[in-house]
């Protein structure tokens, strides 16, 4: 059983890696000519770099040994030749850097910056590799023993690099995960800032943030330590390479097995590939980072919804609209239950307001109904049908969702209202808009329903956006409604308009609202207080106040 599982895991990993590589290649699409041009230029740069010490050596041993006249006669041509060579090198280098960046920028617009960085370095990596291999071939023709010693030192360098990199890879990956943990914490508390305040839960939020931030800092320190050890070791090895050449070269010269000019050539070639080695080592470092980042990026893209329709899933048939949560348990992460033994019934057509401290589990409770997540134990039913046994399509068609942050995309107001119902007629759109009280502010806009909104369009207020979202749901006309009330302050007029349009929308539909406003709470047929992932109190506003429990406490803190 165990071996079977690990074999499966290995297969999955292999398939994943192959997928990663293919995804990576796909970003080169349409850039082939640039890529070829870049490669040729990079090879030319490497060739010229390689040729220079060799030319000097030939000169020292041949021409320069022949006396002043011979030298003067050739020097002009030599100078012209060398200048031409370096002009070509300049042009190639320019091409590599300029077009390399342009290509990178084009790729970047399609994927991640880190990978662009890795790509950019690939060019230098190519130059470096050619230079190192070329140097060894040329040096081999000059002096075999010395070249072999250099090769040994270089192999040791590469081995060191591999070992250090394996360590760094682990640390970098961990680091990425930690920072995303911190980011989601920050987003969480920014969104919920007002709720956090109103429920006096600042200390809890602060402690949560501090924990994930500490973990991040800790892994960052380890990352820098790994980097420090790595780079210091490389500097030592490079120094060692120089010492080896000087000592061993001196010894060979003393024994008459090598000329001084040859030792100078060796020294020139070493300085030639100090940079490439640096580049290669830096590259592996950047590459590790990039792969860690890219893997996460692809992971997000490929994220399969875990939730699948049951093989025998049926269409949901809503007759009454009765919702029932029964002994529901749920955890985002194993071992950290968020919802525990939650029981909740919403009668057909009624509005239930969920209240309670931030992080208590209100949003989670709501997201279990359309099956954004699946319960771990217990069940949720709509008119007696378990949500896990119906098709997700029919389930989500039956549920209208108005979220706190309304997202408007680039397009007209009419298009935004018709989102999800592209076949809606202009009359239907207008009717939905009137019911949601969108009509009244749209009429004041010069372009009316054709006004462009979204990132690049007219800015609408939070209340106006929520009314557009409500209009969307009017058009969708689902029997069940989930409304996550905005926590941010709307101006009074806007708030009243949202309130009224929501009340109209809720009419005749079973509604669960995450309520932050007193008016919403008072309008609800019933209220459930959710604390620590379970229903701690339930009743009407008056009943709960009379009970003088949790609800009464929060109510007084928030509204009095
Ligand atoms: P509420 O809506 O009452 O503020 P939530 O349902 O958002 O409460 O959160 C309940 C708990 O679940 C909190 O501890 C929160 O940090 C955690 N939580 C919420 N969403 C996620 C998520 N996507 N992944 C992991 N934990 C989450």
């Amino acid at each position: 059983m165990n071996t079977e599982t690990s074999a499966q895991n290995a297969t999955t990993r292999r398939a994943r890696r192959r997928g990663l590589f293919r995804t990576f290649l796909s970003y080169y699409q349409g850039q082939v000519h640039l890529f070829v041009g870049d490669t040729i230029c990079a090879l030319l740069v490497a060739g010229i770099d390689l040729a220079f010490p060799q030319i000097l050596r030939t000169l020292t041993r041949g021409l320069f040994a022949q006396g002043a006249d011979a030298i003067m006669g050739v020097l002009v041509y030599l100078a012209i030749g060398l200048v031409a060579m370096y002009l070509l090198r300049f042009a190639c280098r320019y091409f590599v850097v300029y077009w390399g960046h342009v290509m990178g920028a084009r790729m970047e617009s399609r994927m991640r910056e880190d990978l662009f960085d890795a790509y950019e370095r690939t060019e230098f990596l190519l130059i470096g590799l050619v230079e190192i291999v070329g140097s060894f071939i040329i040096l081999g023709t000059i002096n075999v023993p010395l070249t072999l010693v250099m090769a040994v030192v270089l192999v040791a360098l590469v081995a060191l690099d591999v070992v250090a990199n394996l360590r760094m890879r682990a640390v970098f990956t961990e680091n990425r995960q930690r920072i995303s943990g911190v980011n989601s914490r920050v987003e969480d508390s920014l969104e919920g800032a007002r709720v956090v305040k109103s429920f006096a839960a600042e200390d809890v939020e602060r402690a949560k943030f501090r924990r994930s931030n500490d973990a991040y800092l800790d892994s960052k320190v380890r990352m820098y330590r790994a980097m420090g050890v790595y780079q210091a070791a490389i500097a030592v090895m490079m120094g060692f390479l120089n010492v080896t050449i000087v000592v061993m070269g001196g010894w060979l010269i003393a024994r008459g097995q090598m000329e001084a000019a040859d030792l100078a050539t060796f020294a020139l070639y070493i300085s030639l590939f100090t940079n490439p080695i640096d580049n290669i080592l830096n590259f592996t470092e950047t590459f590790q980072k990039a792969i860690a980042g890219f893997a996460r990026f692809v992971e997000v893209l490929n994220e399969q919804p875990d939730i699948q329709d049951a093989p025998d899933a049926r269409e949901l048939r809503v007759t009454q609209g009765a919702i029932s949560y029964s002994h529901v348990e749920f955890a985002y992460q194993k071992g950290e239950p968020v919802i525990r033994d939650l029981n909740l019934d919403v009668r057909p057509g009624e509005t239930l307001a969920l209240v309670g401290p931030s992080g208590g589990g209100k949003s989670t409770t709501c997201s279990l109904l359309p099956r954004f997540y699946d319960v771990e134990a217990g069940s949720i039913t709509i008119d007696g049908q378990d949500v896990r046994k119906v098709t997700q399509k029919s389930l989500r068609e039956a549920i209208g969702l108005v979220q706190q942050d309304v997202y408007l995309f680039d397009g007209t107001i009419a298009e935004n209202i018709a989102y999800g119902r592209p076949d809606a007629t202009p009359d239907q759109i207008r009717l939905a808009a009137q019911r949601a009280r969108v009509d009244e502010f749209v009429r004041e806009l010069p372009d009316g329903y054709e006004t462009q909104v979204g990132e690049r369009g007219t800015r609408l207020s939070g209340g106006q956006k929520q009314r557009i979202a409500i209009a969307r749901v009017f058009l969708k006309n689902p029997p069940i409604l989930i409304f996550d009330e905005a926590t941010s302050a709307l101006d009074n007029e806007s708030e009243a308009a949202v309130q009224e349009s929501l009340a109209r929308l809720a009419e005749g539909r079973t509604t669960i609202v995450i309520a932050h406003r007193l008016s919403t709470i008072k309008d609800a047929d019933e209220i459930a207080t959710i604390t620590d992932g379970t229903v701690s109190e339930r009743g009407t506003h008056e009943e709960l106040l009379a009970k003088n429990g949790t609800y009464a406490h929060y109510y007084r803190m928030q509204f009095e």
Side-chain angles (χ1 to χ4, degrees):
M1 177 66 196
N2 249 342
T3 41
E4 203 172 287
T5 320
S6 71
Q8 264 169 13
N9 282 346
T11 316
T12 322
R13 268 199 306 275
R14 260 198 305 279
R16 266 238 194 109
R17 220 175 299 142
R18 217 173 21 234
L20 204 64
F21 186 61
R22 203 174 301 142
T23 314
F24 180 67
L25 283 187
S26 71
Y27 287 102
Y28 281 88
Q29 257 172 30
Q31 317 268 336
V32 175
H33 56 291
L34 276 183
F35 184 69
V36 171
D38 238 40
T39 311
I40 292 174
C41 284
L43 288 174
L44 277 173
V45 170
I48 292 172
D49 283 348
L50 272 178
F52 186 69
Q54 191 63 356
I55 292 171
L56 264 189
R57 177 168 179 263
T58 315
L59 290 176
T60 340
R61 301 179 63 191
L63 182 70
F64 289 176
Q66 284 172 21
D69 285 350
I71 298 176
M72 292 313 283
V74 185
L75 212 51
V76 177
Y77 301 105
L78 187 68
I80 292 173
L82 286 178
V83 167
M85 210 169 92
Y86 276 102
L87 281 180
L88 178 64
R89 189 184 187 283
F90 168 81
C92 288
R93 182 85 191 190
Y94 172 77
F95 189 94
V96 167
V97 172
Y98 175 62
W99 282 108
H101 277 79
V102 171
M103 189 178 359
R106 286 180 189 164
M107 286 164 71
E108 188 190 9
S109 68
R110 285 189 249 160
M111 57 171 176
R112 291 186 62 103
E113 208 173 319
D114 341 354
L115 203 64
F116 155 67
D117 224 34
Y119 170 75
E120 186 199 347
R121 285 176 190 269
T122 318
E123 294 152 19
F124 300 112
L125 182 74
L126 178 73
I127 296 179
L129 280 178
V130 170
E131 286 182 356
I132 289 175
V133 172
S135 298
F136 269 94
I137 293 172
I138 293 170
L139 291 177
T141 66
I142 300 176
N143 191 299
V144 177
L146 197 53
T147 309
L148 287 180
V149 171
M150 270 178 60
V152 169
V153 177
L154 203 68
V155 168
L157 261 176
V158 171
L160 179 79
D161 178 47
V162 170
V163 171
N165 252 302
L166 287 179
R167 264 196 61 190
M168 287 219 297
R169 186 202 307 231
V171 184
F172 272 132
T173 309
E174 187 188 80
N175 195 254
R176 291 262 157 180
Q177 287 164 351
R178 299 254 164 109
I179 187 67
S180 71
V182 175
N183 283 345
S184 58
R185 265 280 151 260
V186 173
E187 271 165 35
D188 240 34
S189 17
L190 285 184
E191 259 177 41
R194 191 174 161 210
V195 198
V196 171
K197 282 219 179 80
S198 60
F199 289 111
E202 286 109 319
D203 287 345
V204 181
E205 287 298 314
R206 223 173 276 138
K208 277 199 249 169
F209 178 78
R210 206 176 306 126
R211 263 201 306 279
S212 48
N213 202 29
D214 283 352
Y216 171 60
L217 185 65
D218 183 55
S219 99
K220 207 167 178 181
V221 166
R222 262 183 292 145
M223 180 172 98
Y224 288 140
R225 194 178 302 142
M227 264 169 72
V229 169
Y230 177 66
Q231 299 208 346
I234 282 158
V236 169
M237 294 298 272
M238 292 307 292
F240 187 62
L241 191 62
N242 276 319
V243 173
T244 313
I245 296 308
V246 172
V247 171
M248 182 155 173
W251 184 71
L252 286 172
I253 290 173
R255 291 180 46 151
Q257 289 173 355
M258 191 170 157
E259 287 177 36
D262 290 342
L263 182 59
T265 311
F266 261 88
L268 277 178
Y269 275 110
I270 289 188
S271 68
L272 179 67
F273 62 58
T274 312
N275 271 341
I277 288 180
D278 265 2
N279 274 340
I280 290 175
L281 300 184
N282 280 336
F283 173 80
T284 44
E285 180 196 316
T286 315
F287 194 70
Q288 287 314 337
K289 262 200 253 179
I291 287 296
F294 189 58
R296 263 203 66 74
F297 169 69
V298 172
E299 221 171 82
V300 173
L301 274 187
N302 291 351
E303 219 158 64
Q304 284 273 337
D306 299 337
I307 293 173
Q308 305 284 348
D309 280 353
D312 55 349
R314 297 198 195 159
E315 298 280 299
L316 173 71
R317 294 195 101 113
V318 183
T319 46
Q320 308 269 305
I323 300 170
S324 173
Y325 286 66
S326 165
H327 302 290
V328 170
E329 308 267 341
F330 175 75
Y332 288 101
Q333 270 131 23
K334 275 231 167 322
E336 293 175 31
V338 169
I339 301 294
R340 308 159 227 240
D341 195 28
L342 183 132
N343 294 290
L344 200 60
D345 288 305
V346 195
R347 284 186 286 272
E350 278 199 359
T351 295
L352 175 77
L354 302 183
V355 297
S358 164
K362 303 180 293 294
S363 311
T364 308
T365 302
C366 289
S367 47
L368 293 172
L369 186 64
R371 274 187 89 198
F372 291 143
Y373 303 97
D374 262 345
V375 300
E376 263 165 26
S379 65
I380 302 174
T381 59
I382 296 175
D383 288 339
Q385 303 151 81
D386 193 316
V387 293
R388 283 167 300 177
K389 293 186 179 143
V390 298
T391 62
Q392 287 176 74
K393 190 163 180 295
S394 65
L395 178 64
R396 292 187 186 163
E397 268 168 11
I399 301 172
L401 205 61
V402 180
Q403 276 168 319
Q404 218 183 86
D405 291 306
V406 178
Y407 184 71
L408 298 182
F409 30 145
D410 292 323
T412 64
I413 291 182
E415 284 164 357
N416 266 286
I417 293 175
Y419 174 66
R421 277 281 307 273
D423 58 328
T425 66
D427 279 348
Q428 287 171 325
I429 294 176
R430 183 131 334 180
L431 184 63
Q434 274 163 4
R435 287 169 154 183
R437 292 190 57 176
V438 167
D439 200 49
E440 59 199 59
F441 71 81
V442 166
R443 255 185 284 142
E444 314 213 323
L445 299 169
D447 293 330
Y449 284 94
E450 298 310 309
T451 305
Q452 289 286 327
V453 290
E455 307 247 303
R456 277 167 290 161
T458 308
R459 286 186 63 85
L460 297 177
S461 75
Q464 291 171 333
K465 285 203 233 170
Q466 273 218 330
R467 281 183 271 167
I468 289 184
I470 292 172
R472 272 181 197 160
V473 180
F474 265 119
L475 203 54
K476 183 178 172 180
N477 197 21
I480 293 165
L481 189 64
I482 296 173
F483 183 63
D484 190 353
E485 197 164 60
T487 41
S488 55
L490 305 180
D491 57 87
N492 280 340
E493 185 253 348
S494 227
E495 184 169 331
V498 169
Q499 196 65 41
E500 192 198 312
S501 54
L502 175 70
R504 278 192 207 156
L505 181 63
E507 237 165 71
R509 303 175 213 266
T510 313
T511 303
I512 301 179
V513 51
I514 301 178
H516 299 295
R517 285 184 232 300
L518 186 58
S519 45
T520 318
I521 297 171
K522 281 186 162 164
D523 279 356
D525 296 302
E526 253 193 310
I527 298 157
T529 313
I530 309 266
T531 331
D532 286 334
T534 199
V535 179
S536 54
E537 278 177 337
R538 175 143 193 198
T540 62
H541 177 64
E542 285 74 24
E543 282 166 7
L544 291 180
L545 277 189
K547 212 170 169 187
N548 208 11
T550 329
Y551 174 79
H553 173 73
Y554 286 129
Y555 170 77
R556 280 187 212 111
M557 257 178 45
Q558 197 178 3
F559 303 113
E560 281 186 353

